[in-house]
């Protein structure tokens, strides 16, 4: 019976969301604000799936958390932003990157509001300063389960941040099944 106990408990613990998965580290990435004159009611989403480089086994994930460090560079001294997550690509007009920028920039999606995304955090970014963030919520759970995550930003401060680069580093994803 002792040998059977772990086999019997494993599905029960999994059903309760008590089985944590090992932490997964994602590749660092950066995004550039290519959206001119972003208004306070608008959300600019990255035009690429942020999970393309993250390998997770297919499972019914719950309680997904993502921790990272944001470091802005370029023409921004301080900016207060809200961070959104969408498990599907928002259906919003695409803003192409400027022609004089590197070809690895993918552009952005300019949305009039959250466009189905969920706000996960609000942070103040300062140029050259590392800002830790912790993200969790239903949209993140759904995104990890479905393999698609689109990150969006709403600019709350009035500083012009067009052309600003924000590095996203030390990305750690945790989940339970």
């Amino acid at each position: 019976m002792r040998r059977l106990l772990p086999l019997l408990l494993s599905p029960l613990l999994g059903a309760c969301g008590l089985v944590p998965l090992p932490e997964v580290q994602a590749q660092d990435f950066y995004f550039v604000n290519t959206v001119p004159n972003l208004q306070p009611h608008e959300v600019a989403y990255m035009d690429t799936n942020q999970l393309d480089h993250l390998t997770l086994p297919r499972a019914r994930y719950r309680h997904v958390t993502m921790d990272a460090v944001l470091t802005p560079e370029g023409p921004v001294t301080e900016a207060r932003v809200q961070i959104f997550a969408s498990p599907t690509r928002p259906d919003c007009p695409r803003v192409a990157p400027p022609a004089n920028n590197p070809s690895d920039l993918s552009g952005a999606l300019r949305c009039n509001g959250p466009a189905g995304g969920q706000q996960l955090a609000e942070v103040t970014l300062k140029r050259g300063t590392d800002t830790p963030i912790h993200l969790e919520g239903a949209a993140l759970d759904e995104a990890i389960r479905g393999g698609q995550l689109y990150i969006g930003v709403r600019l709350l401060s009035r500083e012009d941040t067009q052309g600003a680069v924000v590095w996203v580093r030390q990305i750690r994803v945790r989940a339970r099944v």
Side-chain angles (χ1 to χ4, degrees):
M1 184 65 170
R2 274 194 177 164
R3 288 185 223 176
L4 291 176
L5 191 57
L7 292 174
L8 294 172
L9 286 178
S10 180
L12 294 174
L13 291 175
C16 296
L18 297 175
V19 179
L21 295 175
E23 179 179 280
V24 176
Q25 291 192 2
Q27 286 183 338
D28 294 351
F29 67 92
Y30 68 92
F31 59 91
V32 177
N33 180 9
T34 59
V35 181
N37 304 315
L38 190 64
Q39 299 300 308
H41 65 279
E42 295 177 315
V43 177
Y45 283 92
M46 297 179 71
D47 192 22
T48 56
N49 177 7
Q50 294 308 295
L51 298 181
D52 279 345
H53 302 289
L54 186 64
T55 305
L56 290 171
R58 290 281 184 210
R60 185 90 177 136
Y61 296 107
R62 288 190 245 169
H63 302 99
V64 176
T65 62
M66 183 180 289
D67 293 291
V69 174
L70 304 179
T71 308
E73 298 174 353
V76 61
T77 53
E78 182 174 300
R80 204 170 98 235
V81 298
Q82 292 175 332
I83 299 172
F84 290 79
S86 178
T88 58
R89 187 177 187 274
D91 185 18
C92 300
R94 184 173 185 276
V95 177
N100 61 347
N101 276 339
S103 61
D104 63 341
L105 297 180
S106 63
L109 305 171
R110 186 179 198 145
C111 301
N112 189 9
Q118 177 189 12
Q119 180 187 330
L120 300 182
E122 185 174 315
V123 295
T124 299
L125 303 174
K126 295 180 182 179
R127 182 177 48 215
T129 302
D130 292 343
T131 303
I133 60 165
H134 175 80
L135 304 177
E136 63 181 295
L140 188 57
D141 291 357
E142 188 178 336
I144 297 294
R145 282 193 298 263
Q148 290 189 66
L149 173 62
Y150 292 86
I151 300 290
V153 174
R154 175 182 282 153
L155 184 62
L156 299 176
S157 60
R158 293 304 306 147
E159 182 175 349
D160 181 18
T161 62
Q162 187 172 1
V165 176
V166 178
W167 282 95
V168 183
R169 298 183 173 112
Q170 301 174 26
I171 306 161
R172 292 179 175 81
V173 180
R174 295 174 193 87
R176 296 179 183 270
V177 291

